[in-house]
Amino acid sequence: MNKSPASLLTAYRALAYVTGVGLVLLCVACIAHYGFGASATPVMIVGTLHGWLYMAYVVVAFVLGMKLEWPMGKIVWTVLAGTIPTAVFFVERRVVREMKAQLAAQEQEQLVGA
């Protein structure tokens, strides 16, 4: 996966939102099923979708973190945010803000060095 940081950021943002929404929907489906006796089908469908999308999120977050040379703790926290309902939304905003600042600083260095 030899992608630019900007394209990785786009993929990360999309997967973060989809993973976050999927986890919230999974929580709602579990509450409906286990709390109110609703069908287990939504739990199985949403759970499976969330699981597969979360795996893609993990890969993209890890590659993004390695490309931007994040400390391992930051990569781990970013990956784990997809397992805590709504946490991924807050982490995504922070990652985007920090990444834009980091990319701007890198561009500035390239302009000064050129």
Side-chain angles (χ1 to χ4, degrees):
M1 185 180 278
N2 195 10
K3 299 252 182 195
S4 72
S7 64
L8 280 173
L9 179 63
T10 301
Y12 168 77
R13 291 186 80 184
L15 285 168
Y17 281 111
V18 170
T19 300
V21 169
L23 186 55
V24 169
L25 290 175
L26 179 59
C27 289
V28 169
C30 285
I31 291 169
H33 174 64
Y34 294 109
F36 301 102
S39 172
T41 302
V43 174
M44 291 186 296
I45 293 170
V46 175
T48 301
L49 287 173
H50 170 70
W52 283 104
L53 291 168
Y54 177 70
M55 286 188 265
Y57 169 82
V58 167
V59 169
V60 171
F62 183 79
V63 170
L64 180 66
M66 294 303 289
K67 188 170 241 0
L68 296 176
E69 299 175 357
W70 291 346
M72 192 52 68
K74 182 175 181 176
I75 294 172
V76 169
W77 169 243
T78 303
V79 166
L80 288 177
T83 65
I84 303 167
T86 69
V88 74
F89 301 117
F90 298 103
V91 172
E92 182 269 339
R93 290 303 320 146
R94 180 179 223 164
V95 165
V96 169
R97 184 174 49 245
E98 290 174 1
M99 187 176 164
K100 285 183 179 179
Q102 186 175 352
L103 290 175
Q106 288 174 351
E107 283 183 21
Q108 189 66 20
E109 282 180 17
Q110 289 175 351
L111 289 176
V112 170

